[in-house]
Amino acid sequence: MQTTRINLNVAGQTIQAKEGETIIHALWAAGMADAVSTGCAGGVCGACTVTVRYADGKPGGTELACLCPVEEGMEVFPYPVDSIASGNPESSPDVVKLQTAFPTLNRCTKCGSCTAACPMQIPVMDSVLRMQVGKFDEVSEDFTTCIHCGLCRAVCEDRVKPHNMGMWVRRSLGMGASIEMIEKTEEEIKRSKSEWAYLLSEDAEERLKRAKEFRVKGFV
Amino acid sequence: MLEWALHYIDLIEESRKERSDQEPPELSEDEKENLIAEFHPDHSASDRPVQIGANAGGTPIPQELADLLEADSLLPKHFKPATDIETDVLIIGGGGAGASAALELQASGLQVLLATKLRLGDANTVMAEGGIQAAISSEDSPRRHFADAYVGGHGDNRVDLLKQLCEAGPETIQWLMSLGCQFDRNPDGSFRQRSGGGTSTPRVMACRDITGLEIMRVLREAVRQSGTPLLENHSAIELLDNGEGQVTGAVFWNRKDNKLVSVSARAVLLATGGSGQLRLQGFPTSNHFGATGDGLILAYRQGCKLDHVDTFQFHPSGTSFPEALAGQLVTEAIRSIGAQILNAEGKRFIDELTYRDVVASAIIKEVVEGRGIKTPSGRYGVWLDTPVIEMKQGPGTLKNQFPGLVHRFGRYGIDPTVHPILVYPTLHYQNGGVEIDLQGRTTIKGLWAAGEVSGGVHGRNRLMGNSLLDILVYGRKAAQSIQNQLPERAALGLSALESFRAERDRLGLSGNQSPQLFPVAAQVKVNLEEMVADDSSSTTETSPQSASTAFEPRDPFA
């Protein structure tokens, strides 16, 4: 198949790219890897934030350069966002505690920029409104896929920090959970000892044989 | 997007209902071993012994890695280290192992500095999808976890390291929860545990298909709040030593300011991760931008032995199409809940939940024998039938449990609830690495290692969910060991490098420089020569004051 060459402009420089590749890979090929910060190149670390504008007039906006395919005539502007700490989580979180940690909580003017900026399609503004009324379980769910690129915070005119608050809510709710640790009864300790003794046979061949048997049964 | 593949997809759709309840094809143990011997990339005969250092003349290893181990340092010959920053503990690496070590050291009263090539959290950890193993159910035990991992690793695992790993599972989950990590639950409120390839009982805990993201973002937050000073965008170029076999610090290249920075430390923890970006044998990789095995190179020049570096994990389901996602991971968890692997004829050919090395070999075999699918860009793959999950588990299952996958493919107009995904093995994990003991100590005084850069615990094949556990358990173990056995500060020098260079000359080795730092494809230029003036002893224009005092933590409210 013939590969189509595409022209795009990144930070003021025109480069050529292959159809179907992402902005990041186009930058690598052009020797411009340093133009946009890169972390995972897989859409989960949030390092490669950019804004894009399309030649055909379709809506552009904020993007992750590692997930955004190149297009003819596209313009790309690096838009790095500094990472900041989100504040200490609190057990049994409520709106007052959230507001204390994030004084700008109620400054949201419902402009919707944050939702438009989110590369993960999180309903950010709606979630901020849910934060204001303490619907934390829903907020926690909203921010499940948040990669903390920081774009929602960077575009907010009113210094609301949606993703930081999302993190605060998720951690605060998560901190209450725990697993049932297996109780170290005398019987359990004895069983553990004898099973390890069985599994850790000195003879390597015997050890593998025993492990094969043990994994199926779960006991000696 | 998938127009070119419609005739294949028709075939898959026709057989879906009939296939959905069928048992997978069974292979005998001998058949599995033969499959690996014949088709696994570990056995492709492209390995060679390394000529220099502690592994010289030993087991053949991938030539790409051997080349880097034999290569010269990036440091100019006339460079002389002088302390720019002083710390008690230097952690090199900002992924899960480095971050958990930093947290464990938080209350120690020691001065800790975490340096990372990219930003804190830009690491393979954040990309982990499927989950983390821990024996927390009543049918399970750390012994059973051990047995599964030991059989999965072909009995070649370091037994002591593996036993400690499995025993630490439940407590590690508890620790993550105390930091605020959330794990998926069943409708009855109990924690959901899935099977992974080679687990004999459901043991994998997850946060949807973004478990690594959940863990890493919580660890990153906690580290930022701990006030641990960070050196981001600093690539480790070389370890420093005192001339008597003790590691005493490291030299970094500050990529943003294009400067060299020498750090003096009483203990150095290597938590530099893996090497998927070496793209062995031309395979694509699921690894992050910085996974170039730098820690292996640095430790090797100090005289550390590398364990199991002849074996790498090729994850069976890397993306083959679209081209923009080539190599990226499609989690094994999707096979745990029923996705089936099909060849060009629409037929299943392997038990989707057997060991990764077996599944990967089986896929390669299908392609080699002409039953693979060729993409418009010339890659090969086999189908992963994801819509069958919705058929079996009900509509909405994928969107709810695999939001990462649905989002990523959705960007390219592919809906995994409707269309199958094309996959091929991708270079995923460095099974081997720097030899460590139960406390994470290397054989060199002053140097610890944890996580993917270390080797031996997983044998020749790691099970799903065991590396997230590994980085946390051994990151914290190393931190505890460092606290208990902190050496006194000693002089900064490059005698290990000087001996290494002398040995290179004796052997007549020439060629490239290492560590590689970035993927070859990224064409990042690293030239340290011009940074070092001939007559200078220190490389940075730091005043005596800033050279001797502690590093300022970044303003958390900035």
Side-chain angles (χ1 to χ4, degrees):
Chain A
M1 197 182 83
Q2 191 70 30
T3 324
T4 319
R5 303 300 291 187
I6 280 179
N7 296 294
L8 69 157
N9 188 290
V10 185
Q13 285 202 52
T14 302
I15 61 171
Q16 279 212 324
K18 282 187 288 188
E19 185 175 22
E21 70 183 351
T22 66
I23 297 170
I24 285 290
H25 291 118
L27 286 171
W28 291 7
M32 285 176 66
D34 284 334
V36 172
S37 155
T38 307
C40 70
V44 286
C45 82
C48 60
T49 44
V50 296
T51 60
V52 301
R53 192 158 68 181
Y54 293 100
D56 62 5
K58 81 171 168 181
T62 49
E63 278 283 4
L64 297 177
C66 73
L67 281 189
C68 183
V70 293
E71 282 191 33
E72 181 62 37
M74 164 195 249
E75 287 178 281
V76 180
F77 308 91
Y79 189 9
V81 182
D82 267 347
S83 206
I84 62 168
S86 297
N88 282 315
E90 301 255 9
S91 52
S92 38
D94 58 30
V95 180
V96 176
K97 288 177 182 169
L98 178 63
Q99 168 104 49
T100 310
F102 297 92
T104 55
L105 170 64
N106 289 322
R107 277 172 57 177
C108 171
T109 55
K110 303 182 197 169
C111 72
S113 299
C114 50
T115 302
C118 179
M120 301 305 287
Q121 290 149 0
I122 293 170
V124 186
M125 186 193 80
D126 292 344
S127 198
V128 170
L129 302 183
R130 288 192 263 277
M131 290 177 201
Q132 293 175 347
V133 293
K135 290 183 179 168
F136 288 166
D137 284 334
E138 289 170 46
V139 171
S140 175
E141 181 65 27
D142 291 335
F143 280 89
T144 303
T145 55
C146 175
I147 57 172
H148 294 273
C149 63
L151 281 170
C152 58
R153 168 170 48 93
V155 298
C156 182
E157 282 293 324
D158 293 292
R159 300 284 180 268
V160 181
K161 301 171 177 173
H163 76 100
N164 300 101
M165 295 195 288
M167 167 62 84
W168 185 93
V169 169
R170 280 187 64 85
R171 282 187 74 191
S172 298
L173 292 179
M175 274 164 54
S178 70
I179 52 168
E180 269 180 57
M181 300 290 275
I182 296 165
E183 221 182 307
K184 289 228 157 63
T185 56
E186 216 166 284
E187 194 186 350
E188 168 59 26
I189 292 168
K190 220 171 116 188
R191 181 184 154 198
S192 165
K193 265 194 183 157
S194 74
E195 288 179 355
W196 280 124
Y198 176 76
L199 284 167
L200 301 177
S201 156
E202 288 292 325
D203 178 65
E205 211 172 303
E206 179 66 19
R207 206 158 56 217
L208 187 56
K209 199 178 127 235
R210 288 182 183 183
K212 281 179 183 167
E213 284 170 14
F214 188 88
R215 63 181 290 274
V216 180
K217 284 194 294 183
F219 51 86
V220 177
Chain B
M1 196 74 186
L2 283 164
E3 292 78 14
W4 61 274
L6 288 180
H7 61 288
Y8 292 116
I9 293 173
D10 286 346
L11 212 58
I12 291 171
E13 285 177 352
E14 273 167 32
S15 66
R16 186 170 291 141
K17 197 153 178 20
E18 199 190 320
R19 264 187 290 113
S20 66
D21 299 323
Q22 276 172 5
E23 289 297 312
E26 267 302 327
L27 294 184
S28 71
E29 289 209 19
D30 282 348
E31 286 171 317
K32 287 180 184 170
E33 290 299 330
N34 289 339
L35 204 52
I36 292 171
E38 208 169 337
F39 293 101
H40 194 278
D42 273 357
H43 302 283
S44 73
S46 65
D47 291 7
R48 69 170 177 86
V50 62
Q51 299 177 66
I52 191 169
N55 288 52
T59 315
I61 64 173
Q63 50 190 348
E64 295 89 344
L65 180 59
D67 287 349
L68 293 176
L69 289 172
E70 290 167 1
D72 192 11
S73 172
L74 288 157
L75 274 185
K77 289 236 162 59
H78 50 268
F79 173 80
K80 288 188 187 64
T83 307
D84 296 306
I85 298 171
E86 203 172 274
T87 183
D88 291 325
V89 184
L90 171 63
I91 298 171
I92 308 179
S100 50
L103 289 175
E104 195 68 27
L105 286 161
Q106 194 181 341
S108 65
L110 296 172
Q111 217 171 34
V112 180
L113 176 64
L114 189 152
T116 172
K117 183 162 64 178
L118 302 167
R119 306 172 312 163
L120 177 63
D122 295 349
N124 283 344
T125 304
V126 80
M127 306 181 82
E129 297 180 3
I132 177 168
Q133 284 202 34
I136 64 163
S137 84
S138 51
E139 292 84 53
D140 204 357
S141 70
R143 281 84 66 195
R144 197 165 188 178
H145 185 176
F146 173 95
D148 282 343
Y150 192 65
V151 175
H154 300 274
D156 207 14
N157 316 52
R158 276 271 305 277
V159 171
D160 54 343
L161 293 177
L162 182 60
K163 173 173 186 276
Q164 179 165 268
L165 179 81
C166 299
E167 289 196 300
E171 194 275 330
T172 304
I173 296 292
Q174 194 69 31
W175 182 70
L176 286 174
M177 287 179 174
S178 75
L179 291 169
C181 277
Q182 296 193 21
F183 291 97
D184 294 342
R185 292 173 187 263
N186 296 311
D188 70 359
S190 59
F191 287 102
R192 185 175 69 207
Q193 295 199 287
R194 285 202 191 108
S195 296
T199 61
S200 57
T201 180
R203 188 183 300 123
V204 183
M205 300 183 71
C207 176
R208 314 296 167 93
D209 64 343
I210 47 145
T211 314
L213 172 59
E214 170 69 356
I215 292 175
M216 192 67 241
R217 64 191 173 192
V218 166
L219 293 178
R220 181 175 51 200
E221 276 298 318
V223 170
R224 285 208 184 281
Q225 277 156 11
S226 74
T228 305
L230 303 174
L231 280 182
E232 294 183 306
N233 298 301
H234 279 60
S235 307
I237 299 296
E238 209 65 61
L239 294 175
L240 297 167
D241 64 277
N242 70 342
E244 290 164 24
Q246 179 187 339
V247 167
T248 55
V251 186
F252 294 90
W253 170 46
N254 174 346
R255 188 155 69 103
K256 294 281 178 222
D257 297 340
N258 205 26
K259 279 180 178 169
L260 287 172
V261 178
S262 300
V263 176
S264 159
R266 295 168 65 186
V268 177
L269 172 60
L270 269 186
T272 49
S275 56
Q277 289 293 356
L278 300 186
R279 299 183 181 235
L280 308 178
Q281 300 173 39
F283 271 85
T285 184
S286 59
N287 283 190
H288 81 288
F289 186 54
T292 50
D294 305 352
L296 300 182
I297 311 299
L298 266 51
Y300 199 65
R301 287 189 190 140
Q302 293 296 321
C304 288
K305 192 160 182 250
L306 305 182
D307 195 3
H308 282 78
V309 278
D310 58 322
T311 159
F312 283 77
Q313 181 159 78
F314 292 79
H315 194 291
S317 46
T319 308
S320 254
F321 184 85
E323 182 65 14
L325 297 179
Q328 289 191 20
L329 186 63
V330 176
T331 176
E332 186 168 316
I334 204 140
R335 284 176 271 137
S336 304
I337 68 159
Q340 298 178 341
I341 300 180
L342 309 168
N343 62 19
E345 297 157 7
K347 293 195 178 119
R348 287 172 86 182
F349 52 90
I350 188 72
D351 172 5
E352 288 84 0
L353 274 189
T354 186
Y355 301 102
R356 282 181 177 172
D357 52 355
V358 179
V359 181
S361 302
I363 292 172
I364 293 170
K365 178 181 183 211
E366 290 301 296
V367 169
V368 167
E369 295 182 352
R371 293 181 298 277
I373 296 98
K374 192 175 181 183
T375 74
S377 328
R379 287 183 195 275
Y380 286 90
V382 295
W383 295 108
L384 183 69
D385 190 15
T386 43
V388 74
I389 295 171
E390 299 267 303
M391 180 188 268
K392 287 201 298 203
Q393 314 257 356
T397 308
L398 278 172
K399 182 110 182 50
N400 179 270
Q401 296 188 26
F402 298 87
L405 177 89
V406 172
H407 173 80
R408 203 158 59 239
F409 279 86
R411 282 299 312 249
Y412 296 92
I414 297 172
D415 180 353
T417 64
V418 179
H419 294 307
I421 289 169
L422 200 65
V423 297
Y424 191 71
T426 184
L427 182 50
H428 186 57
Y429 189 78
Q430 174 180 288
N431 289 328
V434 179
E435 193 177 287
I436 57 168
D437 69 4
L438 282 169
Q439 301 179 49
R441 292 180 298 197
T442 69
T443 48
I444 305 295
K445 188 180 175 189
L447 185 65
W448 282 255
E452 194 172 348
V453 71
S454 71
V457 65
H458 305 295
R460 302 190 63 81
N461 176 62
R462 176 176 65 75
L463 297 196
M464 165 190 190
N466 271 351
S467 68
L468 283 178
L469 184 60
D470 176 10
I471 57 176
L472 302 169
V473 169
Y474 282 98
R476 294 172 70 205
K477 287 276 176 215
Q480 290 155 8
S481 169
I482 286 170
Q483 275 182 69
N484 296 332
Q485 305 165 52
L486 195 65
E488 288 306 315
R489 189 175 306 281
L492 291 187
L494 284 163
S495 31
L497 176 61
E498 281 155 19
S499 321
F500 178 82
R501 279 177 160 160
E503 182 66 4
R504 281 189 86 249
D505 290 345
R506 200 183 62 79
L507 293 166
L509 294 175
S510 56
N512 282 339
Q513 291 176 310
S514 66
Q516 187 180 304
L517 305 181
F518 297 101
V520 171
Q523 305 186 60
V524 176
K525 309 246 178 330
V526 187
N527 180 9
L528 306 183
E529 286 289 341
E530 60 201 33
M531 244 172 276
V532 185
D534 279 333
D535 55 350
S536 76
S537 57
S538 175
T539 52
T540 49
E541 293 173 17
T542 41
S543 65
Q545 203 180 4
S546 68
S548 62
T549 56
F551 190 75
E552 279 293 311
R554 57 165 51 215
D555 176 7
F557 300 104

